[in-house]
Amino acid sequence: MEYSTYGRHVAVDAWGIAFDHLNQADKLSVQMVQAAESSGASILSVQVKQFEPQGATVLLLLSESHMSIHTYPEKGFAALDCYTCGTAVDPDVAIKAMLAFLEPTETSNVKIIRGTGELQVEHAQLAVG
């Protein structure tokens, strides 16, 4: 079987998120798993870290690559990303599901097309809803 090097990597900075959404690592991991599954991704493992006094990191190892979130509840900020190889899984779907849960007031994002030569970077707002 020959594998494609093509992949899509979506990275999002999100602000204006409620403290409680960002400071519950276990709840974030449940949401991340649901978001990844909604995109059709195959989850291989989940790593969860709750920081003290606040903050969380959740990392999903996917058969197609990875998805992560790093939170700063005291700032109302989260950094999310999802990278998927191939064309079967759309990282936009997973990211949009997380943004629907987090309900940020502001986002900034890029989509990077990888594995086809020079990196292609697209700037566009992700519509949530």
Side-chain angles (χ1 to χ4, degrees), residues 22-41:
L22 298 176
N23 200 42
Q24 298 179 36
D26 290 337
K27 189 171 186 176
L28 282 168
S29 69
V30 168
Q31 295 297 322
M32 292 270 292
V33 165
Q34 291 174 356
E37 288 175 342
S38 74
S39 74

Side-chain angles (χ1 to χ4, degrees), residues 60-75:
L60 274 58
L61 178 62
L62 308 175
S63 180
E64 300 80 10
S65 196
H66 74 272
M67 183 173 178
S68 68
I69 186 169
H70 306 281
T71 74
Y72 302 83
E74 72 281 11
K75 306 278 188 185

Side-chain angles (χ1 to χ4, degrees), residues 12 21 31 52 62 72 75-76 92 95 111 120 122-123:
V12 178
H21 281 341
Q31 295 297 322
E52 293 298 332
L62 308 175
Y72 302 83
K75 306 278 188 185
D92 285 338
I95 293 293
K111 181 189 289 182
Q120 301 170 38
E122 302 171 6
H123 296 269

Side-chain angles (χ1 to χ4, degrees), residues 4-128:
S4 170
T5 58
Y6 173 81
R8 292 168 287 179
H9 194 162
V10 177
V12 178
D13 282 357
W15 296 271
I17 303 168
F19 186 96
D20 289 343
H21 281 341
L22 298 176
N23 200 42
Q24 298 179 36
D26 290 337
K27 189 171 186 176
L28 282 168
S29 69
V30 168
Q31 295 297 322
M32 292 270 292
V33 165
Q34 291 174 356
E37 288 175 342
S38 74
S39 74
S42 301
I43 299 167
L44 300 176
S45 69
V46 180
Q47 295 288 313
V48 179
K49 175 64 179 172
Q50 178 71 52
F51 294 99
E52 293 298 332
Q54 69 261 331
T57 292
V58 179
L59 174 64
L60 274 58
L61 178 62
L62 308 175
S63 180
E64 300 80 10
S65 196
H66 74 272
M67 183 173 178
S68 68
I69 186 169
H70 306 281
T71 74
Y72 302 83
E74 72 281 11
K75 306 278 188 185
F77 175 76
L80 298 104
D81 83 304
C82 186
Y83 176 39
T84 61
C85 300
T87 58
V89 176
D90 186 348
D92 285 338
V93 172
I95 293 293
K96 287 177 185 177
M98 283 304 298
L99 292 175
F101 165 72
L102 294 170
E103 299 179 323
T105 59
E106 185 180 351
T107 61
S108 177
N109 68 281
V110 295
K111 181 189 289 182
I112 305 166
I113 305 301
R114 303 180 74 174
T116 60
E118 186 173 335
L119 293 175
Q120 301 170 38
V121 180
E122 302 171 6
H123 296 269
Q125 284 302 110
L126 290 170
V128 179

